[in-house]
Amino acid sequence: MRILFVFTIITITFSCKGQSGKLPEVRSLDHPAVISEEFIYDLEKALTPECHASTVEISNDVVVAAWFGGTKEKNKDVGIWVSRKTNEDWSIPVEVVNGIQEDGTRYPCWNPVLFKPRSQPLYLFYKVGPSPREWWGLFMTSKDDGKTWSEPVKLPEGILGPIKNQPIQLKDGTVLSPSSTESKTEGWKIHLESGNDECTNWSKTTSLNDPKEFGAIQPVILNYGDGKLQLLSRTQNNVITQNWSTDYGKTWSNMTATSLPNPNSGIDGVTLKDERQLLIYNPTEKNWGDRVPLSVALSTDGQEWERVLDLEPLRETTDREGEEYSYPTVIQASDGKVHMVYTWNRKTVKHVVLDVGKL
């Protein structure tokens, strides 16, 4: 049975440029693969004016989502918020951590990443700092599926943790974490961090791109089996790029362009149980332009991609300034269903569940 959630917005208190004080109409997805779609919290009940960079994980059948929220990205009041879905309803979002330091200085929080290693508690990685050029990585753990959290632990010097997208775990327990740095002088660079099952004993690779050729951040790891891995990255070059490894991430090929466009916006992907690769991305080339549409593509080899579904279609309007559907996170649950969350106009987080067998 396919369930569609239809949302109607009457009046909202937040404004969005180019929308005459209103946000775009929310339309349900008419596609057989869509099991459900919903806002994690209603616009009129938002606890923060803005939100961004959502992440999702499933822990003992509880769907857990997190994002950063506050008055505006980069503002000091931005913290990490969490909501849990048990049965049919999402819990009221709770701010689980902020950037207040021991001396009282407060910095914004950034880019939470939820991750559940095998036989380990739920991890929440995140960043704190005045900007992506100066932030540092921390994590917390939860033994009750995101209901309560440990005290924050700072990652070792030089280790940032997953920058936007989830780590993957190899059969031997090794955790591979996709990471990157942003520097005014050295440009945007990606690298890979690796740790054990307990997310300790971290090491990292050298930079995997030449920023003079491709300025790249926020990689996604896709796993083809038998040591073959692919990194897909957001870039400043209007294209998604790729690196390949055939030895479980120990060494990597040079970065090259794919056929996929990228408007300097975050992407995410997952290797499905049926061995297809699924990618969520904004299929436009405008640098810092409209982050719309937001689409799903599939591939069997990581080279040829087919766009199969628009989660947020391009609407029939010439004035889309301020419209944004971006920064997706996608996972596949043990029952085969695919869960994805993404920024909906920076006002709320949308959660979509797919039956990928119907894509």
Side-chain angles (χ1 to χ4, degrees), residues 316-334:
E316 295 178 0
T317 174
T318 57
D319 186 4
R320 299 192 308 275
E321 184 181 356
E323 198 173 346
E324 176 180 348
Y325 312 102
S326 65
Y327 265 60
T329 294
V330 58
I331 61 170
Q332 187 172 31
S334 58

Side-chain angles (χ1 to χ4, degrees), residues 27-48:
R27 297 184 293 186
S28 292
L29 295 167
D30 185 16
H31 192 287
V34 179
I35 298 172
S36 66
E37 53 178 322
E38 59 190 338
F39 288 151
I40 289 180
Y41 59 88
D42 294 334
L43 289 168
E44 64 269 20
K45 296 180 181 179
L47 299 176
T48 60

Side-chain angles (χ1 to χ4, degrees), residues 191-248:
H191 66 274
L192 201 66
E193 299 173 350
S194 59
N196 59 20
D197 185 61
E198 298 178 346
C199 294
T200 59
N201 295 333
W202 290 102
S203 62
K204 67 177 183 179
T205 66
T206 58
S207 298
L208 301 178
N209 64 296
D210 179 355
K212 295 179 181 178
E213 184 177 8
F214 295 106
I217 56 172
Q218 299 171 356
V220 178
I221 308 175
L222 299 177
N223 187 356
Y224 294 79
D226 296 325
K228 186 178 181 180
L229 306 174
Q230 183 184 25
L231 290 178
L232 297 176
S233 297
R234 164 189 176 177
T235 76
Q236 298 169 310
N237 305 81
N238 293 324
V239 68
I240 293 174
T241 56
Q242 61 186 344
N243 301 72
W244 290 88
S245 173
T246 57
D247 55 9
Y248 299 94

Side-chain angles (χ1 to χ4, degrees), residues 56-64 116 122 331-334 339:
V56 66
E57 183 60 284
I58 295 178
S59 181
N60 297 318
D61 297 325
V62 177
V63 184
V64 185
K116 182 78 165 59
L122 180 64
I331 61 170
Q332 187 172 31
S334 58
H339 294 251

Side-chain angles (χ1 to χ4, degrees), residues 4 68 91 114 129 144 148 193 203 218 222 233 236 268 283 289 302:
L4 288 179
F68 71 69
S91 64
L114 290 165
D144 53 10
T148 61
E193 299 173 350
S203 62
Q218 299 171 356
L222 299 177
S233 297
Q236 298 169 310
D268 195 20

Side-chain angles (χ1 to χ4, degrees), residues 31-149:
H31 192 287
V34 179
I35 298 172
S36 66
E37 53 178 322
E38 59 190 338
F39 288 151
I40 289 180
Y41 59 88
D42 294 334
L43 289 168
E44 64 269 20
K45 296 180 181 179
L47 299 176
T48 60
E50 285 196 4
C51 66
H52 196 37
S54 55
T55 178
V56 66
E57 183 60 284
I58 295 178
S59 181
N60 297 318
D61 297 325
V62 177
V63 184
V64 185
W67 58 89
F68 71 69
T71 53
K72 194 174 183 65
E73 181 177 348
K74 297 184 180 180
N75 287 0
K76 294 180 180 180
D77 65 355
V78 173
I80 304 298
W81 294 74
V82 168
S83 180
R84 306 164 69 247
K85 187 174 186 179
T86 55
N87 298 320
E88 296 299 323
D89 299 320
W90 287 96
S91 64
I92 296 173
V94 175
E95 187 181 55
V96 297
V97 71
N98 57 45
I100 298 177
Q101 307 301 297
E102 290 185 2
D103 64 1
T105 304
R106 184 165 185 170
Y107 296 108
C109 296
W110 307 79
N111 294 15
V113 177
L114 290 165
F115 176 58
K116 182 78 165 59
R118 294 191 294 270
S119 305
Q120 294 297 325
L122 180 64
Y123 278 73
L124 173 61
F125 294 92
Y126 65 102
K127 274 65 65 184
V128 172
S131 75
R133 295 181 296 276
E134 303 167 276
W135 63 22
W136 56 93
L138 305 97
F139 72 89
M140 303 187 298
T141 58
S142 174
K143 295 181 179 180
D144 53 10
D145 311 316
K147 190 174 182 179
T148 61
W149 295 89

